[in-house]
Amino acid sequence: MMFAMQAHGLAHWSWSRPEIAAGEWWRWFTGHYVHLGLRHLLINVLGLLVLTKLFEGVLHPRHWVCLLVLLPMMISSAFWWRLPGLSTYVGLSGVLHGAYVSGAILMAAGRTERWTGLLLLGLGLAKLGTEGISGESAATGVWIGGPVLMESHQLGALAGGGLALFWLLFGLTRARQATKLVP
């Protein structure tokens, strides 16, 4: 999907405040799935693949569907209300940060990998804190072809953490087990 949208061009899919205000509501979702260029796209796809492997058995397919659908909408809502000066955005990094924090929280809440989850959560929070203090990495911006919006990382992490806490609160963390019907 991301490769197809990328081929069609940023102008049709990017998160753009003026176009959203004009009624192009799909951009709340699609802006997170288009990228500045091939490098930006590939680094985000690689990040997604790493996260699916890292949280295999922790984030189940239904969690991934929720994360990949809800996080863009949650982050975009925060962009709209909390960052009124933001006019455009592209990229999956906010969603990736949300998935990372969500997976780390669910892992930490488990019984077998609690310490690994806590370590991952601590490392993620340290990264966000470092970004908050030092700001955007100019080298990353040059490499991907444009500035990095650190707020997307923070907002994604908050949204992902909120989803993980919701799943824990309502017992939605384990895969449903099939029940055998006895004739």
Side-chain angles (χ1 to χ4, degrees), residues 32 40 44 71 75 79 83 89-101 124-125 127-132 135-137 140 144 147-161:
H32 297 270
H40 189 207
N44 278 280
L71 285 174
I75 295 166
F79 286 169
L83 300 173
Y89 174 80
V90 294
L92 194 65
S93 63
V95 172
L96 295 175
H97 281 74
Y100 178 90
V101 168
L125 294 176
K127 179 198 181 284
L128 291 169
T130 301
E131 287 178 352
E136 172 189 339
S137 167
T140 303
I144 65 169
V148 177
L149 183 65
M150 297 300 170
E151 291 90 343
S152 70
H153 301 174
Q154 297 158 355
L155 295 168
L158 284 171

Side-chain angles (χ1 to χ4, degrees), residues 6-166:
Q6 193 72 24
H8 198 282
L10 296 179
H12 300 285
W13 306 110
S14 64
W15 191 97
S16 173
R17 186 177 297 274
E19 280 80 6
I20 292 168
E24 296 182 10
W25 52 268
W26 60 86
R27 292 173 180 268
W28 283 57
F29 179 76
T30 61
H32 297 270
Y33 291 99
V34 290
H35 295 79
L36 294 170
L38 186 59
R39 283 184 184 174
H40 189 207
L41 174 65
L42 292 176
I43 196 74
N44 278 280
V45 168
L46 179 62
L48 183 59
L49 293 173
V50 167
L51 291 179
T52 58
K53 189 64 180 168
L54 179 64
F55 295 117
E56 190 175 34
V58 176
L59 291 173
H60 301 284
R62 72 173 184 280
H63 292 126
W64 280 109
V65 169
C66 285
L67 290 168
L68 295 175
V69 171
L70 295 178
L71 285 174
M73 303 305 285
M74 295 167 81
I75 295 166
S76 289
S77 295
F79 286 169
W80 189 265
W81 298 108
R82 302 286 297 159
L83 300 173
L86 180 65
S87 62
T88 59
Y89 174 80
V90 294
L92 194 65
S93 63
V95 172
L96 295 175
H97 281 74
Y100 178 90
V101 168
S102 189
I105 288 172
L106 293 183
M107 186 180 277
R111 294 184 181 170
T112 59
E113 300 179 72
R114 178 168 288 143
W115 292 109
T116 303
L118 289 171
L119 175 64
L120 290 173
L121 185 59
L123 290 172
L125 294 176
K127 179 198 181 284
L128 291 169
T130 301
E131 287 178 352
I133 293 168
S134 64
E136 172 189 339
S137 167
T140 303
V142 168
W143 195 78
I144 65 169
V148 177
L149 183 65
M150 297 300 170
E151 291 90 343
S152 70
H153 301 174
Q154 297 158 355
L155 295 168
L158 284 171
L163 286 172
L165 295 175
F166 175 83

